[in-house]
């Protein structure tokens, strides 16, 4: 199978002109088929605040009421997505910005209200990977915004990590997929105080060992559990790295 | 050649939930290949105002400074475009929202500064009609936002009537194109005080006659001149009508 690299970058990287320029340059130098998934939460919070709309978060997740849905539709689907697309076009990458509604690429259900009412937030139900794969084979580079739709006319705010994982899993039927998650560090660290102590490879048994020893802890545990779930669903490998490292393809390889 | 209908609707229609719902319903009932081009100026003015950004207009054209470019990118490329796309998906129309940057569909040059500095406004230079036509033949319905790009990483605000005309002209190589412009009246009127006095057909000699008699005047003259230019460039016919009439295909036919 042909290779495809799917890279997820957070809002911070894509919201500052300088880091965005570096990212797009590095992304453009990656060989083969590729997909970019982006966040945009900081810009959404900033624009919402300027519009007098309060950002409410529960455990790091945004509560999306009707007004906030408008803001994230503007910021994720418009401002952030289209600036990335225009930037990639300037580097001769034939980018196409997409939300889940576009070509029905990603359909979701509105999250049911349990302890928390997250509002207009979607849990992904269906990915139209055939159409996405056909575009990719035509030389198109999809740029996915963290928005899906419910098929009834409503857009839904959807976590960018989830968009990346679901797209990677669905595309695994068509390509040998490497899923790269960019965060603040160059990878999973052996010593949290030493940024250069990146663990090069983690499999399931090493993961258990590191967790038992307390080397891997906190938010890194669900991140790696998600990585293993993607691998169970057919993704070849997950790389946890920093945006500045994507063109070197270095970081922690999870398989 | 196969037929294609390209419909341009102004901001007013697509910015109110009720008129938008009617429009999308009528649009979905049109047979054959189709494309929708939308405006969004009212929403842009409203959001800009809420953000404390003043809307400056010269002869009905928006001056687009850096802050206003962000607003129109959010509103046209995000809010308006993605709500139309989600609404069409609910009606089982496989819509794909596009700016000119997406797949390099429409490249423009920043308008040179003469008497007026319009700012980040683009004059269309190149339409990638082959790619657009291939998508349309796959059953995709493009929804075009009034934004283009300069190929150097910059988005540019571009008049929606121009986007519609340029897309129609470029697609005329692939399809028999009917270009429908929606405005406030049901067509070009014989008597401006009688909304039912729609002139059914206008060719060049009738146009000259009506202008000489003062029946066609003001803003309708350049509108019709643009229609004849589209026809010169290969568009089969231009229909000037009201959004509520598009599914009936009634209005003033210009050919």
């Amino acid at each position: 199978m042909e290779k495809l690299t799917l890279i997820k970058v957070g809002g911070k990287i894509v919201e500052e002109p300088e880091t965005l320029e570096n990212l797009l340059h590095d992304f453009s130098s990656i060989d083969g088929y590729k997909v970019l998934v982006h966040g945009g939460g900081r810009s959404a919070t900033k624009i919402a605040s300027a519009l007098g709309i309060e950002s409410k978060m529960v455990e790091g997740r945004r509560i999306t009421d009707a007004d906030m849905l408008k803001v994230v539709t503007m910021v994720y689907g418009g401002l952030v997505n289209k600036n990335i697309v225009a930037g990639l076009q300037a580097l001769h990458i034939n980018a196409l910005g997409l939300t889940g509604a576009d070509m029905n690429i990603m359909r979701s259900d509105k999250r049911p209200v349990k302890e928390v009412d997250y509002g207009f937030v979607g849990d992904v139900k269906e990915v139209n990977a055939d159409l996405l794969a056909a575009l990719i084979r035509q030389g198109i580079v999809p740029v996915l915004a963290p928005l899906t739709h419910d098929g009834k006319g409503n857009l839904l705010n959807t976590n960018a990590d989830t968009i990346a994982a679901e797209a990677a899993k669905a595309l695994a039927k068509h390509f040998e997929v490497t899923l790269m998650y960019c965060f603040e560090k160059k990878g999973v660290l052996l010593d949290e105080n030493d940024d250069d102590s990146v663990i090069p490879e983690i499999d399931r048994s090493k993961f258990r060992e590191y967790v038992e020893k307390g080397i891997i802890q906190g938010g890194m545990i669900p991140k790696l559990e998600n990585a293993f779930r993607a691998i169970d669903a057919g993704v070849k490998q997950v790389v946890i790295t920093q945006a500045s490292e994507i063109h070197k393809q270095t970081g922690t390889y999870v398989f």
Side-chain angles (χ1 to χ4, degrees), chain A residues 1-6 31-35 132-139 168 170-179 234-237:
Chain A
M1 273 210 278
E2 291 171 299
K3 290 178 188 182
L4 179 139
T5 309
L6 191 148
D31 286 332
Y33 296 129
K34 51 198 170 188
V35 175
L132 208 50
L135 284 171
I136 291 165
R137 288 212 173 85
Q138 283 172 51
L171 287 167
K173 291 176 198 85
H174 299 269
F175 302 99
E176 185 186 297
V177 177
T178 297
L179 169 56
V235 172
K236 202 205 164 194
Q237 56 192 2

Side-chain angles (χ1 to χ4, degrees), chain A residues 71-199:
Chain A
V71 171
V72 297
T73 302
M74 292 198 295
V75 172
Y76 302 163
L79 189 63
V80 177
N81 190 268
K82 298 312 172 191
N83 273 306
I84 292 175
V85 168
L88 287 174
Q89 289 291 349
L91 298 166
H92 308 291
I93 302 289
N94 202 3
L96 166 62
L98 296 169
T99 67
D102 294 290
M103 300 188 300
N104 191 25
I105 283 296
M106 213 176 276
R107 200 186 55 72
S108 62
D109 284 347
K110 187 168 179 288
R111 185 170 301 164
V113 179
K114 290 177 187 166
E115 297 92 70
V116 180
D117 181 357
Y118 286 97
F120 295 99
V121 163
D123 293 317
V124 177
K125 289 295 155 187
E126 205 182 347
V127 182
N128 194 344
D130 293 353
L131 202 43
L132 208 50
L135 284 171
I136 291 165
R137 288 212 173 85
Q138 283 172 51
I140 304 292
V141 174
V143 177
L144 305 183
L147 293 165
T148 56
H149 78 130
D150 67 358
K152 297 167 205 156
N154 304 299
L155 294 159
L156 293 168
N157 189 6
T158 305
N159 180 270
D161 281 6
T162 306
I163 298 262
E166 294 297 331
K169 286 191 254 178
L171 287 167
K173 291 176 198 85
H174 299 269
F175 302 99
E176 185 186 297
V177 177
T178 297
L179 169 56
M180 299 186 99
Y181 278 115
C182 300
F183 81 132
E184 316 85 59
K185 306 287 182 182
K186 286 181 182 177
V188 184
L189 302 181
L190 255 180
D191 173 0
E192 60 174 326
N193 299 313
D194 178 4
D195 279 355
D196 291 324
S197 67
V198 172
I199 303 171

